[in-house]
Amino acid sequence: MLRMKTNTDEYRLERVEDVLHVLDLVECQNTVIGIPGKLKGISGGEFRRLTFASVVLTNPSLLLIDEPTSG
């Protein structure tokens, strides 16, 4: 939410909720991301979607994606 360039907190919260729903991240929104080998957190697929979501929230004017769900 800090990287979003809007003035109102209401819009920021609404936008975050929308992206969570679209990318199917609602169930893991309060889950620790995790530390490889030490602390289990979200799955690999959820991690990739989270990375994509953090970029989408900033409303980039151009977004190039090359196989975002592959290793």
Side-chain angles (χ1 to χ4, degrees), residues 3 7 11 15-16 18-20 23 28 30-33 36-37 41-42 48 52 62-63 65 67-68 70:
R3 293 175 55 198
N7 297 4
Y11 175 77
R15 180 83 170 125
V16 169
D18 287 344
V19 171
L20 284 173
L23 296 177
C28 65
N30 294 318
T31 305
V32 175
I33 293 173
I42 60 176
R48 286 190 280 285
F52 180 76
L62 178 64
L63 182 62
I65 302 168
E67 301 181 73
S70 69

Side-chain angles (χ1 to χ4, degrees), residues 12-54:
R12 289 179 184 169
L13 290 174
E14 182 179 319
R15 180 83 170 125
V16 169
E17 289 295 324
D18 287 344
V19 171
L20 284 173
H21 286 287
V22 168
L23 296 177
D24 197 28
L25 292 169
V26 176
E27 293 179 10
C28 65
Q29 69 181 341
N30 294 318
T31 305
V32 175
I33 293 173
I35 301 170
K38 294 185 180 186
L39 179 64
K40 182 173 172 18
I42 60 176
S43 71
E46 291 167 340
F47 184 77
R48 286 190 280 285
R49 290 188 309 229
L50 174 63
T51 303
F52 180 76
S54 66

